[in-house]
Amino acid sequence: VGFEGSDGMACSACAEGTYKGVNGSGVCLSCPFGTYKNWTGLGACSACPAGSFASQFAGTMCLSCPSDSFSVAASGSETACTCNAGYTGPDGGPCRACSAGFSKSDSGSSGCLSCAIGKVASNAASLSCSLCPPDSFPSSLADSCLECPAGSSSPVGSERISNCTCSGGRRGLDCLFNQTGSGLVSNTTSVTRLLLLMQMLTDIETFNGSEETFLLLLANFLNLDLSAVRIQSVAGSSRRLLQTSLDLSVELDVPTESADAATSSLGQDGSLNTLVTSAGLPQVVVIGIVRYCGDGRMPVQAACQLCLEGSYKSEPDNSSCVQCPSNSSTASSGSTRVTECRCVAGFFLAAPPMSIAGSCSACPAGSYCPGGSAQVGCPQDTSSVPRSSELSDCTCNKGFQGLPGQCKPCPSGQYKSSVGSTNCVLCPSNSFSATGTTSADDCVCNAGYQRRNAGGCEACRPGTYKMLNQSSCGRCESGTFQSVFGATACGRCPEGSQPNAGATACFEFERPPQCLSTPVRLAAECAVE
C-alpha cells in the first residue's frame, strides 16, 4: 500500500498526486478530480474542502474559488464555484456585487432583482430588501430611505412621499408649503417646469447684490426648495450695463400636482411684488408664465400627453419622450426615468441598473428570461435557443422525451435525434439500442442481421451468419453450411455429406459400386473423408 514496483524488486513510494490502496505489484493511480495528495507514499487522496476545487487528475493542491463564490467539498471544476448570495455572475466567476436597490437571496448565476415598491437595499451585495422605518419613504432608486418633510410622519413600510401626513389632513408635498426653504422637489414623482418672465425696476449692480435674497423670497412664495428656482437670463444675459429696468427669466421646477396652484399664485396681481418690496427689494412686475409639460409628459398639439409605454422623459421641459434602450420597455405610460425601462421577455439585465446606453442582453441558449433582470437556467436534460422567454421554451435534449423538467431517456430500442417535444421513435426493424440513444445510426442490428448501405438492417443470406458481437455477416466456416436467411450460426453437414460451394446445402459423397454392399469397416477405400 502506497508503493509501486514489481514483486521481489525494490518498491518506490507513490508520488504526490497518486495513491495505491492495495498490496502487490500494481502501479500508483492518479488522484481523481476534486481530490489532491501533496505527500508521497502512504495515504489516500483527500477531498478538496468546500470553497475550493481541483480540476486536474493527479492533483497536488486545491485552488480557491474566485472571490465572492463558493463550492461544495470535492468539487472537480471551477464552474462548481457559484456566486454567493448578494452577488451575480456566471458559474466559475467573476462575481460582482448587486448594486444598491437590488438584492439576491440565493447563490448561483441568477441575476439581481430590483427591490419591490416600498422596500430598499441601501448597500451593495444585499441579500434582501427591507422596509423603510417610520417617518420615511424609499428613494426613486430604492437605494435609501428619505425623511418625510418636517412636521409630517409616516408608518413603517411607506411606499412614497404621499404616505407622509401632517397637520390639517395634508399629505406629502402639501406638507412642504408654508415652510421656509423646506421644499424637496427632487423627491416628487413628477415635476413641471414654469418659465416666469418678469421685469424688475432696478439696475444690474443693485440686482447682483440682491439676487440670492430674491430667489429665496420667490422659493418661499411658492413653498419650493431653493434649488428648484434658477435665474435663466437677466436683460439678455448681460449684467454689465447699468439699467433702470431689468428683464428677468426664472425657471421654476414645481410638483406637477401643484403646478396649477403655483401658476395661479404667480398670476395674481401684486402678490409677488408685495412680498418682494416688503423685504426691501425693487418692485417686480410679472409679464408672463410659460408652462412646460414636465417630466413624463410631452406636448401634443395644444395639450400635454403622457409618455407612451416603452418611453420616458426625465426633463421637466417640452422636449419629446425618449425611447427605452434596445430590448426594454416600461410597465406603463408616463415614465420619468430610464430605470423604469425593464428588459422585455427573452432578455435580461446583465449589468444593473439600466442606463441610457442600455444593458439588456439576449437570453443565452440553455436558459429562459421572463423579462427584467431574471435569467433562469433550463431544467436538467433540456435546452433552449437564445432569447427564450418561458419555461416551455426549454425542450428535451436529443435522446430524451417528456415535458420540461420531466425529461426521461429514450427507452432501450428507441432513439430521438432532435431537440424538442417530439417522442422517441423505434429503432429500424431487426435492431436495438441502449437507453438515451440519439441517432438511428446508434441502433445495433440484431444477431443474424447486418447494416444495409441504404439504411436499416438486412438478414444474413444463406451460407452466412452473424452473432450479436459481430459487425457484419460472415461466411460459414469450412465443413459447415446454412440454408436459411437471418442465421446466427452455421451447422455441420450429416455424415456422408459435405457443403456445396456456397455453403448453402449439403450433398452426399459418390461411393464406388463395391462400397455399396461392403461394410465400411472391411474396405478402407470406402471410408468417407
Side-chain angles (χ1 to χ4, degrees):
V1 175
F3 291 81
E4 64 181 353
S6 301
D7 292 341
M9 304 295 289
C11 298
S12 300
C14 290
E16 293 183 357
T18 64
Y19 72 100
K20 180 168 169 281
V22 295
N23 294 324
S25 58
V27 298
C28 299
L29 304 176
S30 296
C31 291
F33 292 126
T35 65
Y36 74 101
K37 181 168 171 276
N38 57 6
W39 66 91
T40 60
L42 295 172
C45 301
S46 299
C48 288
S52 64
F53 65 94
S55 58
Q56 294 182 338
F57 277 116
T60 60
M61 62 181 294
C62 299
L63 301 178
S64 297
C65 283
S67 298
D68 305 312
S69 65
F70 192 74
S71 68
V72 298
S75 292
S77 169
E78 187 175 17
T79 57
C81 300
T82 58
C83 294
N84 296 333
Y87 293 81
T88 185
D91 292 343
C95 299
R96 64 177 183 278
C98 295
S99 303
F102 291 77
S103 68
K104 180 168 168 280
S105 60
D106 56 351
S107 60
S109 58
S110 59
C112 304
L113 300 178
S114 56
C115 291
I117 296 176
K119 292 187 175 183
V120 299
S122 302
N123 301 316
S126 293
L127 306 186
S128 62
C129 301
S130 57
L131 297 172
C132 283
D135 306 331
S136 65
F137 60 95
S139 67
S140 59
L141 297 179
D143 57 357
S144 62
C145 294
L146 305 177
E147 292 184 0
C148 283
S152 65
S153 61
S154 67
V156 174
S158 292
E159 296 180 356
R160 50 186 60 88
I161 192 174
S162 59
N163 295 129
C164 301
T165 58
C166 53
S167 61
R170 294 179 296 159
R171 287 180 170 273
L173 293 170
D174 290 335
C175 296
L176 301 177
F177 296 162
N178 301 320
Q179 297 180 39
T180 302
S182 62
L184 296 176
V185 171
S186 59
N187 292 341
T188 67
T189 56
S190 182
V191 173
T192 292
R193 179 167 294 171
L194 302 179
L195 183 62
L196 179 62
L197 306 176
M198 63 180 69
Q199 191 174 66
M200 178 176 279
L201 302 180
T202 186
D203 56 59
I204 191 70
E205 289 185 349
T206 301
F207 177 77
N208 287 343
S210 59
E211 178 178 346
E212 184 175 352
T213 301
F214 172 72
L215 292 178
L216 180 59
L217 288 172
L218 185 56
N220 286 335
F221 181 73
L222 296 174
N223 300 298
L224 295 176
D225 184 70
L226 185 59
S227 63
V229 183
R230 298 175 299 278
I231 297 291
Q232 185 191 65
S233 65
V234 178
S237 299
S238 174
R239 298 192 180 190
R240 295 180 180 177
L241 299 177
L242 294 177
Q243 299 179 7
T244 56
S245 177
L246 296 179
D247 292 326
L248 302 178
S249 296
V250 182
E251 287 182 345
L252 306 170
D253 288 338
V254 301
T256 297
E257 59 266 33
S258 304
D260 289 340
T263 303
S264 177
S265 297
L266 291 169
Q268 293 177 3
D269 291 338
S271 298
L272 178 61
N273 182 58
T274 299
L275 176 65
V276 172
T277 55
S278 65
L281 296 182
Q283 181 180 349
V284 294
V285 178
V286 175
I287 299 175
I289 303 171
V290 180
R291 181 170 176 172
Y292 295 103
C293 286
D295 53 349
R297 295 170 174 82
M298 64 179 291
V300 178
Q301 296 180 349
C304 292
Q305 176 180 292
L306 291 173
C307 291
L308 298 178
E309 191 172 315
S311 64
Y312 67 96
K313 179 167 164 275
S314 56
E315 295 298 327
D317 53 21
N318 277 349
S319 60
S320 298
C321 299
V322 180
Q323 290 297 313
C324 283
S326 298
N327 307 311
S328 67
S329 183
T330 59
S332 61
S333 57
S335 296
T336 62
R337 302 174 185 84
V338 68
T339 52
E340 295 180 58
C341 299
R342 295 175 58 83
C343 298
V344 299
F347 293 80
F348 73 105
L349 190 59
M354 181 74 73
S355 66
I356 295 175
S359 55
C360 291
S361 299
C363 201
S367 61
Y368 65 95
C369 302
S373 58
Q375 177 197 354
V376 186
C378 283
Q380 185 175 359
D381 302 321
T382 66
S383 58
S384 66
V385 297
R387 301 191 180 186
S388 294
S389 59
E390 53 189 24
L391 176 61
S392 59
D393 294 329
C394 298
T395 54
C396 295
N397 292 333
K398 294 179 180 181
F400 291 81
Q401 64 180 358
L403 299 174
Q406 304 176 30
C407 296
K408 304 294 182 184
C410 291
S412 177
Q414 299 183 25
Y415 71 96
K416 178 166 166 272
S417 58
S418 62
V419 175
S421 57
T422 57
N423 292 327
C424 304
V425 297
L426 293 172
C427 282
S429 298
N430 303 307
S431 67
F432 72 99
S433 67
T435 58
T437 296
T438 61
S439 170
D441 293 338
D442 295 327
C443 294
V444 180
C445 293
N446 295 335
Y449 291 81
Q450 67 179 358
R451 189 167 296 282
R452 188 168 43 216
N453 290 336
C457 299
E458 61 181 0
C460 292
R461 296 180 174 278
T464 64
Y465 75 101
K466 175 180 165 287
M467 293 187 291
L468 187 60
N469 60 352
Q470 294 176 314
S471 59
S472 60
C473 301
R475 284 185 56 84
C476 291
E477 288 82 359
S478 176
T480 63
F481 80 102
Q482 184 52 262
S483 60
V484 299
F485 285 86
T488 61
C490 296
R492 291 198 167 276
C493 289
E495 185 177 355
S497 63
Q498 65 180 11
N500 61 10
T504 59
C506 295
F507 65 91
E508 293 185 354
F509 287 104
E510 292 187 8
R511 310 176 89 186
Q514 68 270 24
C515 295
L516 296 178
S517 58
T518 305
V520 174
R521 66 179 183 273
L522 300 179
E525 68 273 16
C526 296
V528 178
E529 296 182 355

